[in-house]
Amino acid sequence: MSSTACCPDPCNNGNPLTWLLCPSIDHVSSALQILLDLAREDKGALVEKVLQHRNPELCIDVLRKLLKSSASWLSSTAACIFGVLLENEFMVLKLQKGAEEDNNLICDLAQMLSVDESDVVMNAAGAIASLVETASGRTWFLQNQSLFNEALERLSVLLENERENTVNSAALVLARLSLCEETCEKVLSYSSACETFRRLAQCLSCSHKDTAMNAGFAVGRLCGSRQARILILREAKEHQLVSRLQALLSSGSEVEMSQTACFALSCLANDEDGHALLMESTSVPALLDGLLQMLQSPEPDSIWFAAMTVRVLVSRPSGVVPVRMHYPLLKQLKLLSMSSSTGPELQEEVNMCLRRLEHLSKPPPVMVTNLTSTSYTVSWERCKPESGLEVIYSLFDRNVMLYQGLLCQVTLPVSPHQSMEPLSLLLNLSTPDGDISPFSEPVVITPEKLGFRLKPPQELCVIGSTATHVHLCWIEPEGRVKPRSYQIYCNDTLVKTTTLLGATVNGLSPATSYKLSVSSLGQGDAESPRAVIEVRTADDQDHAPSALTVVVLGRHELQINWGVPVAPLGRLFKYELNMNGCVVYMGTERAYTARRLSANTAYTCTVTAITSRGRCQSSPVTKKSARDEYLHSSRYMLSPIHQTASKRSTPSSIQVMSEVKKNDTNSPATLKSKVHPTMVQHRAIDLRKDRLRQGSAVVFPVSSTDHLMVSNGEHSEYIFRMQTLSSIPEDLTHFRAKISPGKIDGLAGLQKGLVPGLVYQFFMNGVRLGSYAIIESLGYIHTDGRVSAAKSTVSGAIAGVVGAVMGSPIYLVKTHLQSQSTSSIAVGHQYKHRGMMHALLAIHKQHGILGLWRGASAAVPRVSVGSAAQLSTFSASKELVTDLQVFSEGSWLIALSAGMISSVVVVLAMTPFDVVSTRLYNQPVNHLGKGVLYRGFVDCFSKTLKKEGMTGLYKGLGASYFRLGPHTILSLLFWNELRTLYHSNS
């Protein structure tokens, strides 16, 4: 071991650190060479030697001074030694502690990056790379932002250096800086970040594998931050990032390069926008081919990186489609999943890929609910494939597509062709890439479930029967399939086919039981089951008055009594009594006392029932008056001369009867005035005596279409009763009107006419409010943005006219049904309807189609006036309440307040029309369907006003408000809220 005298201390060449401290440049150069060789052999030995020196800080200070040496070899070697020392974190902390004041070491290294000497730059970049490899070194490097930006700018420039080693060192520094997210953010936040990214992207195509790998790693790490993704997505297309990474992956020269490319691609595709950028690239097919080569590689790490990249690609639906169409890649994944040599981590990645790439499976059968004759609802389970692709559902009835879309429930109408064959519902699934699942198991729905099988007629009943005829009536069967016609059977023998809802079976035997049945006939002569009814025809004499008896009261009096017909033929008007061919009585009573007869004389009596369908005469009964024991007594009243006079009066009687037949719809009082004058005097006396002796006899109608005419006495009693009722105070009348039906008819009596009332409201208000809403939506009721009183009134009246015309038939039936009551409290004319449908059929049969609109002349003005008052007042009131800002805008209380105001106006406007309408609807009619009491609206209005005054037109005002008030308030409130809900959703 030699020493020289040039050193202040003994300079021993065996210790290079001693020479490093020597002032001789030769000794320093030799020491640096020895330390560099030691670093190449054992980096840890170099670090240990420096730390074990008695003054390591002095040694480090000398090395730092050498960084500034003008001799490039000295500064380059010193930078290289620092690169080895900075790899040790303890050394980094020691160096950082010694340089806390000025950060001069980092500053010196950063300045060396701009030197023209390539070796100096390369070793300085390497030293910085070693520094930022450790966490403490990166923290130290980031402490001074300006120094960091300066170094970053010089590193970015170095990426375009001519020497590959220099470029690699710069890329390595950036790669190591990207290990820290904070550093990534700072790298991308400085002004030249775009340029740095561009140069990194170019480095991906560098022939030097380490440079490409470092650049790829840096790009991958930079994609981890949101700020970096924004920058990269903005610059990626221009710099062909995806194609460069694909080329790096497919190079095949180095396994590490492919793995680094997979890492960068997976980092890029991990974000939604980055994934979209990747899948839009034209390099996707080549990229998938490169991944397939890696999956076929013997290197387990390469296989894992490739599987990981495929898993990231298929994590979104747009990546599933191209990967699924790459059949070799899909096949290789399946082979890896079945291989026993596949490790658990790789198996997990492969299984995740295969789950995402799995094709659609067979869906479960559909579920059918809400089966009706017009529609049915089909639903199914929602399919959520692992691929995340949008599933399109296709519903078929065998080969006919019924629905295709994204919903999982659909309500379908029943088409006519489905009425004969059962439905076979099938479901299959599909995705936009053409993946189609198998069909589900069929769900069969028979026509019976849909109500397509013909059903028998409903409510088959007998509405008229004679000795040889039976008249049947029925209602159209339920279900979507309507019959073409009906077949009528008598004892299982087809006797008639008709398209009407009624038929008459003729040629029957009297007093005989028959089994009559009716079936529906559909398309293709398909016949429904039969509706059956048992009926017995009447006896020959069942239509005539029954039980005719004649009792001899004396020599000059006979008492004749008879009963009502067992089966009246049509509407019964009156009875006609004949004695020896002469009419002696015509009226509604069923008893008569004949006086001033001849003694010991036979009298043959017959009674004829006069009905709307003809005359039915009873069998004759002959009785002989008692013998007169005093032939010359003055009590003998009927001498042969008198009988001769009676015979002479016969032609007049015949004439009177001919007039009676012509006017058989007149009242009995009118008929009495037309009887022969010779009979009037004693008959009037007899009738008064008969009433005092026997009382009046009442004959009730035998069916809903038969009405019995009343006598003058009964009519007078009726007029007296009505006058008495009209004299009762109005409030008491209302009270009685409410209490009496509930007391006599029970709680159900208060709800009479509920069904037609609801149907009437549906038709009338549905059309009325719908028409007004259309007019309002077209802007016809507004002037300069405000509601016009005149326009809204006219619009409401027009809507009311349309609604009243549509609902008038149902209102007529409602009035009939609500006026029906027991005889003890009955007011007005009584109809015997069994229900709404029966009433409609009966009115149509008796008075024709125009008969259903009887009383519409009152309903149309009533509803038009009420509608005009209601809707115009509601619109104006709602606008007024809104302007006053009493409630918040859009509050339901605005509509409620406007409805309450409108209800008062409506009741005041409609009550007179309600009174007139009710009287017109409920008045009796003659055989021509014309009203008996009033000719029409104007006639009824004028008569009521003349006889009862204005108070007569406002009868029932309190009851009207309790009916119309809540109805108006609630209907307008719900109407307004439903319209608001509809407009908000649409």
Side-chain angles (χ1 to χ4, degrees), residues 2 26 127 141 246-247 327 511 581-582 639 643 671 737 827 835 873 970:
S2 61
D26 295 333
F141 190 65
Q246 178 269 319
Y327 298 108
C582 296
S639 64
Q643 289 186 1
L671 293 174
V827 177
T873 308
L970 295 178

Side-chain angles (χ1 to χ4, degrees), residues 323-581:
V323 175
R324 185 182 282 173
M325 296 178 64
H326 199 289
Y327 298 108
L329 180 61
L330 188 60
K331 181 179 180 182
Q332 183 63 27
L333 288 172
K334 292 180 179 179
L335 291 175
L336 289 173
S337 67
M338 295 183 293
S339 175
S340 58
S341 61
T342 303
E345 294 182 356
L346 177 59
Q347 186 71 49
E348 182 181 359
E349 295 288 343
V350 172
N351 289 341
M352 291 176 65
C353 292
L354 291 177
R355 284 198 300 270
R356 301 283 297 184
L357 296 170
E358 188 177 12
H359 289 275
L360 293 172
S361 59
K362 182 178 180 180
V366 300
M367 296 169 287
V368 181
T369 56
N370 300 332
L371 278 171
T372 66
S373 61
T374 58
S375 64
Y376 56 98
T377 301
V378 185
S379 59
W380 49 84
E381 295 181 4
R382 181 174 294 278
C383 178
K384 296 181 179 179
E386 291 281 345
S387 63
L389 289 171
E390 188 177 65
V391 178
I392 301 173
Y393 305 93
S394 301
L395 181 65
F396 291 84
D397 176 16
R398 295 183 179 87
N399 297 325
V400 179
M401 180 180 290
L402 303 177
Y403 168 78
Q404 187 175 58
L406 304 177
L407 300 178
C408 293
Q409 178 174 309
V410 61
T411 299
L412 299 173
V414 178
S415 57
H417 80 276
Q418 296 169 338
S419 60
M420 303 305 295
E421 298 181 359
L423 295 172
S424 181
L425 300 179
L426 305 168
L427 179 71
N428 81 326
L429 317 176
S430 60
T431 55
D433 66 326
D435 184 21
I436 302 177
S437 73
F439 281 100
S440 66
E441 293 296 328
V443 174
V444 179
I445 304 176
T446 59
E448 288 82 356
K449 293 181 180 180
L450 292 174
F452 273 117
R453 293 299 186 194
L454 276 174
K455 296 182 179 180
Q458 300 184 88
E459 299 186 20
L460 177 63
C461 62
V462 176
I463 61 174
S465 175
T466 67
T468 58
H469 300 72
V470 173
H471 188 62
L472 302 176
C473 180
W474 58 86
I475 297 178
E476 190 177 64
E478 293 180 346
R480 182 177 177 83
V481 178
K482 301 303 180 183
R484 292 188 300 108
S485 58
Y486 301 93
Q487 291 184 336
I488 297 90
Y489 294 83
C490 179
N491 292 337
D492 297 328
T493 301
L494 179 63
V495 294
K496 184 175 290 187
T497 300
T498 181
T499 59
L500 304 177
L501 296 177
T504 301
V505 181
N506 305 318
L508 304 178
S509 301
T512 306
S513 297
Y514 292 92
K515 184 180 76 172
L516 302 179
S517 56
V518 182
S519 64
S520 303
L521 201 64
Q523 298 291 335
D525 293 334
E527 187 175 1
S528 72
R530 301 176 189 175
V532 182
I533 188 171
E534 297 283 345
V535 64
R536 181 179 177 82
T537 56
D539 189 76
D540 285 338
Q541 292 298 316
D542 285 349
H543 306 312
S546 60
L548 176 60
T549 58
V550 180
V551 179
V552 178
L553 299 180
R555 295 184 297 276
H556 308 294
E557 291 185 3
L558 292 178
Q559 177 67 41
I560 303 100
N561 298 287
W562 61 91
V564 297
V566 177
L569 193 63
R571 223 173 350 168
L572 180 60
F573 293 134
K574 58 190 74 70
Y575 299 104
E576 178 185 276
L577 174 60
N578 283 265
M579 297 181 67
N580 290 345

Side-chain angles (χ1 to χ4, degrees), residues 768-769 772 869-871 873-875 878 895-896 898-903 906 966-979:
R768 182 175 69 89
L769 295 178
Y772 186 82
Q870 181 191 64
L871 297 177
T873 308
F874 177 74
S875 299
K878 189 169 68 171
L896 179 64
M900 295 173 68
I901 297 172
S902 178
S903 66
V906 168
H967 175 270
T968 298
I969 296 171
L970 295 178
S971 61
L972 292 178
L973 173 62
F974 292 149
W975 177 55
N976 183 77
E977 293 303 309
L978 289 174
R979 290 178 62 199

Side-chain angles (χ1 to χ4, degrees), residues 42-43 116 165 201 264 285 297 304 432 467 473 540 762 774 866:
D42 188 358
K43 297 180 180 180
D116 291 337
N165 288 335
S297 170
W304 184 87
C473 180
D540 285 338
F762 175 82
I774 294 174

Side-chain angles (χ1 to χ4, degrees), residues 566-614:
V566 177
L569 193 63
R571 223 173 350 168
L572 180 60
F573 293 134
K574 58 190 74 70
Y575 299 104
E576 178 185 276
L577 174 60
N578 283 265
M579 297 181 67
N580 290 345
C582 296
V583 177
V584 297
Y585 170 76
M586 184 178 293
T588 60
E589 305 290 343
R590 297 197 303 274
Y592 178 75
T593 303
R595 296 180 175 85
R596 299 184 181 182
L597 303 178
S598 299
N600 196 25
T601 303
Y603 291 93
T604 301
C605 300
T606 59
V607 179
T608 303
I610 302 175
T611 67
S612 60
R613 295 175 59 181

Side-chain angles (χ1 to χ4, degrees), residues 172-249:
L172 177 62
V173 174
L174 292 174
R176 289 181 176 177
L177 284 174
S178 65
L179 290 172
C180 176
E181 292 185 4
E182 182 183 359
T183 310
C184 290
E185 295 291 339
K186 290 192 174 185
V187 168
L188 294 167
S189 63
Y190 87 107
S191 58
S192 301
C194 294
E195 190 65 22
T196 302
F197 175 75
R198 179 187 66 80
R199 291 166 179 168
L200 279 175
Q202 291 177 349
C203 291
L204 294 174
S205 303
C206 185
S207 59
H208 194 286
K209 70 170 186 176
D210 292 339
T211 303
M213 289 174 55
N214 289 330
F217 183 82
V219 170
R221 288 293 304 171
L222 291 175
C223 291
S225 64
R226 182 177 180 275
Q227 182 180 357
R229 285 195 296 271
I230 297 174
L231 172 65
I232 291 173
L233 293 175
R234 188 172 64 243
E235 303 291 337
K237 288 185 179 181
E238 181 180 353
H239 304 313
Q240 301 179 351
L241 177 63
V242 177
S243 60
R244 293 176 187 272
L245 288 174
Q246 178 269 319
L248 183 64
L249 183 144

